[in-house]
Amino acid sequence: MSKHSNQSDRNSYSSLDARIFKSLRAYPELDSGLNRQFSFTPSSDLADILIVDSYENTARDKVNILISNEKFNDVLCISPSESAESIIKSLNLIIKGYSNSPRINKLKALEEQNALLSEANKGLVELYNLIESKNNQIQFLKNKLENIINSAGESIVEINESGEIIFANNKFTTITGYAKEQTERMNFLLLLESDKRTEFMEGLKALVGDTIGDISARLRKRDGEYIDIQGYMTLIKGKDIHYELIFQDISRKLQLEKQMKYLEEKAIVSGLSRHLSHNILNALTVAGGFLKKIKESGEQTDIMKHRWQIVDDKFKLIEEIITGYNDYTNVINLKYTDNLDIADFFHGLIRAVALKKFDKTFSAFLYNFPDHYEIDYTFRFTRSCRMEANKNFLKLGFCYIIKDTIRYFGDEPPMKFKITTEVLNGRFAISIYVDDLDVPQPVLETMCQPWNHNMLSQSFDYWGIVIASVIMEKHGGNLSIEKSNGGMKIIMLF
């Protein structure tokens, strides 16, 4: 390259608006090559772009180009293993692109015109980006405007045509968890759910003049969770096309609406269930009275006795299904009534059930509770464990487990249970084990699910265990059933 050619290139770059500072002591060849290509400021404070060989020499609010094999998230890194010519070409493109950017145009307009107030009609955010502290009055306006925008209850974000964030207020950083520095030049589109990005861009392109577009999307926070946002977007048209987005986090609002809808539906179902069960049980009582009279007036042969026994059994089954479903809907509306030492409560209950000396009148149909069972128990949980609870429902759930296990699996009485209280993963647990019981896996997988059975006839075979599972969930725990040592183990974990 001729001397005349080098001087011509250098002069072409000296007219660039970008001000450059370099410090490349570790790379003298590259340093010398850059001197032939660019003009440099004597101080890093005066520069827009820093080209350095040490991360410690980078600065905030500058375009930092680091010649290093190390990688940093907040600076542009170029490997020194590349040739000096290749690095100079890369720097040429970067500096030329920065010099032609909207940011440099704004700085130049600010320095040459000092007429920021004439741009006020572009909106608060646009005005804030243009103000650059040239005198006390402008600095006052800047501070005032910053306070107004950052104290807003909505997130205010300005993006360019490609979606890069030019400005974001404090509310945006608060709800997303990103720091101010992280939001600079972050692409807003990448924060949206992927299936909403095309729709969002189409909405931006549809904005003309003073039109306002709606925003309804889900936004990814720094921790990876998504929030629901709702608001509007407007076009800011000047030398460059920008868009202003103003929106709110409505996740809590949607959650409350969903919860209210759930509670409303639950109240309707529960009320209807109690109404229906009351009327059906009344009808059963009346029908049972008439059948009893018919039975007493008829011939009592062995065949008739067998048939009447079938009728009696079906009446009891219908009564048990209706009252069981009524218990289920009552459990859905469960409220805490007691502050219990949960371990002490269950130790007393297990002893009472094992001795068959417990009060069986607390449920509408547990008078059918069987007595052909044996219980061996071991209490390994010895510490106090207090919690808000409903002891009647806890008692109901435990007795349902024993009752339905016997009813569904107890072919040869008495059924033998081994019950242990212990610590599992730091939590209070009750393990109920039944020996020599081969339970099919499909049955195990659906025993705690009210509407997920292979056969409709199974729906009420272990309905009480379903109720017990809901009771555990209402108390912050869970019920699980698994195969264990040739038998079945039911675990109540609080």
Side-chain angles (χ1 to χ4, degrees), residues 262-359:
Y262 171 71
L263 291 173
E264 182 180 349
E265 291 174 349
K266 187 169 66 173
I268 292 172
V269 171
S270 299
L272 182 62
S273 171
R274 285 192 292 270
H275 180 74
L276 288 176
S277 62
H278 175 75
N279 284 280
I280 292 173
L281 289 176
N282 283 345
L284 283 174
T285 301
V286 174
F290 280 107
L291 285 172
K292 183 178 180 181
K293 289 184 178 180
I294 295 173
K295 176 181 176 182
E296 291 173 349
S297 62
E299 185 179 0
Q300 298 296 312
T301 63
D302 290 341
I303 294 177
M304 290 304 297
K305 287 180 180 179
H306 176 68
R307 290 174 178 174
W308 281 116
Q309 184 60 48
I310 293 175
V311 172
D312 287 341
D313 290 343
K314 294 302 181 184
F315 261 81
K316 288 180 180 179
L317 177 60
I318 294 172
E319 182 182 13
E320 189 165 335
I321 289 173
I322 298 301
T323 52
Y325 185 73
N326 197 38
D327 276 345
Y328 175 75
T329 56
N330 285 332
V331 167
I332 291 176
N333 293 304
L334 178 153
K335 290 183 174 59
Y336 298 147
T337 57
D338 312 281
N339 184 283
L340 298 176
D341 183 333
I342 200 75
D344 184 63
F345 169 77
F346 270 105
H347 289 167
L349 177 60
I350 293 168
R351 289 192 191 95
V353 175
L355 296 172
K356 303 175 185 178
K357 293 182 178 179
F358 69 102
D359 180 9

Side-chain angles (χ1 to χ4, degrees), residues 129-347:
N129 287 336
L130 292 173
I131 295 175
E132 291 290 349
S133 184
K134 290 297 291 183
N135 52 52
N136 292 335
Q137 182 181 8
I138 294 176
Q139 185 63 46
F140 171 79
L141 291 174
K142 176 183 173 182
N143 293 338
K144 192 76 173 177
L145 185 59
E146 182 178 359
N147 290 336
I148 292 172
I149 294 174
N150 282 324
S151 62
E154 300 86 8
S155 294
I156 301 176
V157 180
E158 182 187 347
I159 63 174
N160 60 20
E161 284 187 285
S162 62
E164 289 184 338
I165 296 176
I166 308 301
F167 169 82
N169 71 342
N170 287 349
K171 186 65 176 181
F172 177 78
T173 60
T174 299
I175 68 168
T176 60
Y178 293 104
K180 276 280 188 183
E181 296 77 10
Q182 293 174 304
T183 62
E184 294 176 2
R185 293 297 172 183
M186 178 185 288
N187 196 304
F188 186 81
L189 296 175
L190 299 181
L191 299 180
L192 300 175
E193 281 188 321
S194 56
D195 58 345
K196 291 289 185 180
R197 293 170 189 170
T198 301
E199 179 184 339
F200 179 79
M201 286 302 294
E202 290 175 352
L204 288 181
K205 293 176 181 177
L207 293 175
V208 290
D210 296 329
T211 59
I212 297 176
D214 293 328
I215 301 174
S216 182
R218 302 190 73 219
L219 194 70
R220 178 170 51 82
K221 301 193 299 180
R222 186 182 181 187
D223 60 9
E225 296 292 328
Y226 278 86
I227 58 173
D228 295 280
I229 63 170
Q230 189 174 63
Y232 59 90
M233 49 191 173
T234 57
L235 173 67
I236 303 174
K237 196 167 184 179
K239 277 191 174 181
D240 312 300
I241 294 178
H242 288 178
Y243 302 95
E244 183 182 66
L245 316 176
I246 300 178
F247 55 84
Q248 289 183 319
D249 175 9
I250 61 169
S251 301
R252 178 62 177 166
K253 176 184 176 182
L254 293 179
Q255 182 182 5
L256 290 174
E257 288 177 353
K258 183 178 179 180
Q259 184 178 1
M260 291 301 295
K261 183 177 179 182
Y262 171 71
L263 291 173
E264 182 180 349
E265 291 174 349
K266 187 169 66 173
I268 292 172
V269 171
S270 299
L272 182 62
S273 171
R274 285 192 292 270
H275 180 74
L276 288 176
S277 62
H278 175 75
N279 284 280
I280 292 173
L281 289 176
N282 283 345
L284 283 174
T285 301
V286 174
F290 280 107
L291 285 172
K292 183 178 180 181
K293 289 184 178 180
I294 295 173
K295 176 181 176 182
E296 291 173 349
S297 62
E299 185 179 0
Q300 298 296 312
T301 63
D302 290 341
I303 294 177
M304 290 304 297
K305 287 180 180 179
H306 176 68
R307 290 174 178 174
W308 281 116
Q309 184 60 48
I310 293 175
V311 172
D312 287 341
D313 290 343
K314 294 302 181 184
F315 261 81
K316 288 180 180 179
L317 177 60
I318 294 172
E319 182 182 13
E320 189 165 335
I321 289 173
I322 298 301
T323 52
Y325 185 73
N326 197 38
D327 276 345
Y328 175 75
T329 56
N330 285 332
V331 167
I332 291 176
N333 293 304
L334 178 153
K335 290 183 174 59
Y336 298 147
T337 57
D338 312 281
N339 184 283
L340 298 176
D341 183 333
I342 200 75
D344 184 63
F345 169 77
F346 270 105
H347 289 167

Side-chain angles (χ1 to χ4, degrees), residues 57-84:
N57 292 334
T58 61
R60 291 182 59 185
D61 303 320
K62 308 285 185 184
V63 175
N64 296 286
I65 302 174
L66 178 63
I67 310 300
S68 171
N69 285 318
E70 294 187 71
K71 300 296 182 183
F72 298 90
N73 293 329
D74 56 344
V75 300
L76 177 61
C77 298
I78 298 178
S79 173
S81 61
E82 298 183 25
S83 66

